[in-house]
Coordinates of all heavy atoms in Angstrom, one line a residue:
D520 N -0.3 -12.4 -23.9 CA -1.1 -13.5 -23.3 C -1.5 -14.6 -24.4 O -1.7 -14.3 -25.5 CB -2.4 -12.9 -22.8 CG -2.3 -12.3 -21.4 OD1 -1.3 -12.3 -20.8 OD2 -3.3 -11.9 -20.8
S521 N -1.5 -15.8 -24.0 CA -1.7 -16.8 -24.9 C -3.2 -16.6 -25.6 O -3.3 -16.9 -26.8 CB -1.6 -18.2 -24.2 OG -2.6 -18.2 -23.0
D522 N -4.1 -16.4 -24.7 CA -5.5 -16.3 -25.3 C -5.6 -15.0 -26.2 O -6.3 -15.1 -27.2 CB -6.5 -16.2 -24.2 CG -6.3 -15.2 -23.0 OD1 -5.3 -14.3 -23.3 OD2 -6.8 -15.4 -21.9
F523 N -5.0 -14.0 -25.9 CA -5.0 -12.8 -26.8 C -4.3 -13.0 -28.0 O -4.8 -12.6 -29.1 CB -4.5 -11.5 -26.1 CG -4.7 -10.3 -26.9 CD1 -5.9 -9.8 -27.1 CD2 -3.5 -9.6 -27.3 CE1 -6.0 -8.6 -27.8 CE2 -3.7 -8.5 -28.2 CZ -5.0 -7.9 -28.4
L524 N -3.2 -13.8 -28.1 CA -2.5 -14.1 -29.3 C -3.5 -14.9 -30.1 O -3.4 -14.8 -31.4 CB -1.2 -14.8 -29.0 CG -0.1 -14.1 -28.3 CD1 1.0 -15.0 -27.8 CD2 0.4 -12.9 -29.1
A525 N -4.1 -15.9 -29.5 CA -5.1 -16.7 -30.4 C -6.2 -15.7 -31.0 O -6.6 -15.9 -32.1 CB -5.8 -17.7 -29.5
L526 N -6.7 -14.8 -30.1 CA -7.8 -14.0 -30.6 C -7.3 -13.0 -31.7 O -8.1 -12.9 -32.6 CB -8.4 -13.1 -29.4 CG -9.5 -12.2 -29.7 CD1 -10.7 -12.9 -30.5 CD2 -10.0 -11.5 -28.4
R527 N -6.2 -12.5 -31.6 CA -5.7 -11.6 -32.7 C -5.5 -12.4 -33.9 O -5.9 -11.9 -35.0 CB -4.2 -11.1 -32.4 CG -4.3 -10.1 -31.3 CD -3.0 -9.3 -31.2 NE -2.9 -8.4 -32.3 CZ -2.1 -7.3 -32.2 NH1 -1.3 -7.1 -31.2 NH2 -2.0 -6.4 -33.2
A528 N -5.2 -13.6 -33.9 CA -5.1 -14.5 -35.1 C -6.5 -14.8 -35.7 O -6.8 -14.7 -36.9 CB -4.3 -15.9 -34.8
I529 N -7.5 -15.0 -34.8 CA -8.8 -15.2 -35.2 C -9.3 -14.0 -35.9 O -10.1 -14.1 -37.0 CB -9.7 -15.7 -34.0 CG1 -9.3 -17.1 -33.5 CG2 -11.1 -15.7 -34.3 CD1 -9.8 -17.4 -32.2
V530 N -9.2 -12.9 -35.4 CA -9.7 -11.6 -36.1 C -9.0 -11.4 -37.4 O -9.8 -11.1 -38.4 CB -9.5 -10.5 -35.0 CG1 -9.8 -9.1 -35.7 CG2 -10.4 -10.7 -33.8
S531 N -7.7 -11.6 -37.4 CA -7.0 -11.1 -38.6 C -7.3 -12.2 -39.8 O -7.3 -11.9 -40.8 CB -5.5 -11.2 -38.4 OG -5.0 -12.3 -38.1
E532 N -7.5 -13.4 -39.4 CA -7.8 -14.5 -40.4 C -9.3 -14.5 -40.8 O -9.6 -15.3 -41.6 CB -7.3 -15.8 -39.8 CG -5.8 -15.9 -39.7 CD -5.5 -17.2 -38.8 OE1 -6.3 -18.0 -38.6 OE2 -4.3 -17.2 -38.4
G533 N -10.2 -13.8 -40.0 CA -11.6 -13.8 -40.4 C -12.3 -15.2 -40.2 O -13.3 -15.4 -40.9
K534 N -11.9 -15.9 -39.2 CA -12.4 -17.3 -39.0 C -14.0 -17.1 -38.6 O -14.7 -18.1 -38.8 CB -11.7 -18.0 -37.9 CG -10.3 -18.4 -38.3 CD -9.7 -19.2 -37.2 CE -8.3 -19.9 -37.7 NZ -7.7 -20.7 -36.6
L535 N -14.4 -16.0 -38.0 CA -15.7 -16.0 -37.5 C -16.6 -15.1 -38.4 O -17.6 -14.7 -38.1 CB -15.7 -15.3 -36.1 CG -15.1 -16.1 -35.0 CD1 -15.1 -15.3 -33.6 CD2 -15.7 -17.5 -34.8
I538 N -17.2 -9.8 -37.2 CA -17.4 -9.8 -35.8 C -18.4 -8.8 -35.4 O -18.3 -7.6 -35.8 CB -16.1 -9.8 -35.1 CG1 -15.2 -11.0 -35.4 CG2 -16.3 -9.6 -33.5 CD1 -13.9 -11.0 -34.8
H540 N -19.9 -8.7 -31.9 CA -19.9 -8.4 -30.4 C -18.7 -9.1 -29.8 O -18.5 -10.3 -30.1 CB -21.2 -8.7 -29.8 CG -21.1 -8.4 -28.3 ND1 -21.9 -9.2 -27.4 CD2 -20.7 -7.4 -27.6 CE1 -21.8 -8.6 -26.2 NE2 -21.0 -7.5 -26.3
V541 N -18.0 -8.5 -28.9 CA -16.9 -9.0 -28.1 C -17.1 -8.8 -26.7 O -17.3 -7.6 -26.3 CB -15.5 -8.6 -28.6 CG1 -14.4 -9.2 -27.9 CG2 -15.3 -8.9 -30.0
E542 N -16.9 -9.7 -25.8 CA -16.9 -9.5 -24.3 C -15.5 -9.9 -23.9 O -15.1 -11.0 -24.1 CB -18.0 -10.4 -23.6 CG -19.4 -10.0 -24.1 CD -20.4 -10.9 -23.4 OE1 -20.1 -11.6 -22.4 OE2 -21.6 -10.9 -23.8
S543 N -14.9 -8.9 -23.1 CA -13.6 -9.2 -22.6 C -13.7 -8.9 -21.1 O -14.0 -7.8 -20.7 CB -12.5 -8.2 -23.3 OG -11.3 -8.4 -22.8
Q577 N -5.9 -4.1 -25.2 CA -6.2 -5.2 -26.1 C -7.3 -4.8 -27.0 O -7.2 -5.3 -28.2 CB -6.6 -6.4 -25.1 CG -5.4 -7.1 -24.4 CD -5.9 -8.3 -23.6 OE1 -7.0 -8.4 -23.3 NE2 -4.9 -9.2 -23.3
A578 N -8.3 -4.1 -26.6 CA -9.4 -3.7 -27.5 C -8.9 -2.9 -28.6 O -9.3 -3.1 -29.8 CB -10.5 -3.0 -26.6
L581 N -7.1 -4.8 -31.2 CA -7.9 -5.6 -32.1 C -8.7 -4.8 -33.1 O -8.7 -5.2 -34.2 CB -9.0 -6.4 -31.2 CG -8.4 -7.6 -30.4 CD1 -9.5 -8.0 -29.4 CD2 -7.9 -8.7 -31.2
F582 N -9.3 -3.7 -32.7 CA -10.3 -3.0 -33.5 C -10.0 -1.5 -33.6 O -10.8 -0.8 -34.4 CB -11.7 -3.2 -32.9 CG -12.1 -4.6 -32.8 CD1 -12.4 -5.2 -31.5 CD2 -12.2 -5.4 -33.8 CE1 -12.8 -6.5 -31.4 CE2 -12.6 -6.7 -33.7 CZ -12.9 -7.3 -32.5
M616 N -18.2 -3.7 -28.4 CA -17.2 -4.4 -27.3 C -17.6 -4.0 -25.9 O -17.6 -2.9 -25.6 CB -15.7 -4.1 -27.7 CG -14.8 -5.0 -26.9 SD -13.2 -5.1 -27.8 CE -12.3 -6.4 -26.7
R630 N -13.2 -15.7 -20.3 CA -12.2 -14.5 -20.4 C -12.5 -13.7 -21.6 O -12.6 -12.5 -21.6 CB -10.7 -15.0 -20.5 CG -9.7 -14.1 -20.8 CD -9.5 -13.0 -19.7 NE -8.6 -12.0 -20.2 CZ -8.8 -11.0 -20.9 NH1 -10.0 -10.6 -21.3 NH2 -7.9 -10.1 -21.3
F631 N -12.8 -14.4 -22.7 CA -13.2 -13.8 -24.0 C -14.5 -14.6 -24.5 O -14.5 -15.9 -24.5 CB -12.1 -13.9 -25.0 CG -11.0 -12.9 -24.8 CD1 -9.7 -13.5 -24.5 CD2 -11.1 -11.6 -25.1 CE1 -8.6 -12.6 -24.3 CE2 -9.9 -10.7 -24.8 CZ -8.8 -11.4 -24.5
A632 N -15.5 -13.8 -25.0 CA -16.5 -14.4 -25.8 C -16.7 -13.6 -27.1 O -17.0 -12.3 -26.9 CB -17.9 -14.5 -24.9
V633 N -16.5 -14.1 -28.3 CA -16.3 -13.4 -29.5 C -17.4 -13.9 -30.5 O -17.4 -15.1 -30.7 CB -15.0 -13.5 -30.0 CG1 -14.9 -12.5 -31.3 CG2 -13.9 -13.2 -29.1
H634 N -18.3 -13.1 -30.9 CA -19.4 -13.5 -31.7 C -19.4 -12.9 -33.1 O -19.3 -11.7 -33.2 CB -20.7 -13.1 -31.1 CG -20.7 -13.6 -29.6 ND1 -20.9 -15.0 -29.3 CD2 -20.6 -13.0 -28.4 CE1 -20.8 -15.1 -27.9 NE2 -20.7 -13.9 -27.4
W640 N -16.5 -17.7 -30.8 CA -15.2 -18.4 -30.1 C -15.2 -17.9 -28.6 O -15.3 -16.8 -28.3 CB -13.9 -17.8 -30.8 CG -12.6 -18.4 -30.2 CD1 -12.1 -19.6 -30.5 CD2 -11.8 -17.7 -29.4 NE1 -10.9 -19.7 -29.8 CE2 -10.7 -18.6 -29.1 CE3 -11.7 -16.5 -28.7 CZ2 -9.6 -18.4 -28.3 CZ3 -10.5 -16.2 -27.9 CH2 -9.5 -17.1 -27.7
V641 N -15.0 -18.9 -27.7 CA -15.0 -18.7 -26.2 C -13.8 -19.2 -25.7 O -13.3 -20.4 -26.0 CB -16.3 -19.4 -25.6 CG1 -16.3 -19.1 -24.1 CG2 -17.6 -18.8 -26.3
K642 N -13.2 -18.5 -24.7 CA -12.1 -18.9 -24.1 C -12.2 -18.6 -22.5 O -12.5 -17.5 -22.0 CB -10.8 -18.1 -24.5 CG -9.5 -18.5 -23.8 CD -9.0 -19.9 -24.2 CE -7.7 -20.2 -23.4 NZ -7.7 -20.1 -22.0
F672 N -14.4 -23.1 -30.7 CA -15.2 -22.5 -31.8 C -16.5 -23.2 -31.7 O -16.7 -24.4 -31.6 CB -14.5 -22.9 -33.2 CG -13.3 -22.0 -33.4 CD1 -12.0 -22.6 -33.2 CD2 -13.5 -20.7 -33.8 CE1 -10.9 -21.8 -33.4 CE2 -12.3 -20.0 -34.1 CZ -11.1 -20.5 -34.0
V684 N -4.4 -22.9 -27.7 CA -4.0 -21.5 -28.0 C -2.4 -21.4 -28.1 O -1.8 -22.3 -27.5 CB -4.6 -20.5 -26.9 CG1 -6.1 -20.6 -26.9 CG2 -4.0 -20.9 -25.6
P685 N -1.8 -20.4 -28.6 CA -0.4 -20.2 -28.7 C 0.2 -20.1 -27.4 O -0.5 -19.8 -26.4 CB -0.2 -18.9 -29.5 CG -1.5 -18.7 -30.3 CD -2.6 -19.3 -29.3

Side-chain angles (χ1 to χ4, degrees):
D520 277 2
S521 54
D522 47 20
F523 184 67
L524 293 173
L526 179 52
R527 290 194 78 160
I529 289 166
V530 171
S531 65
E532 294 167 9
K534 288 185 177 180
L535 300 178
I538 293 175
H540 183 217
V541 179
E542 298 176 13
S543 174
Q577 290 183 335
L581 288 173
F582 302 117
M616 189 159 189
R630 169 67 182 89
F631 289 110
V633 186
H634 309 288
W640 182 79
V641 177
K642 176 67 177 65
F672 286 99
V684 296

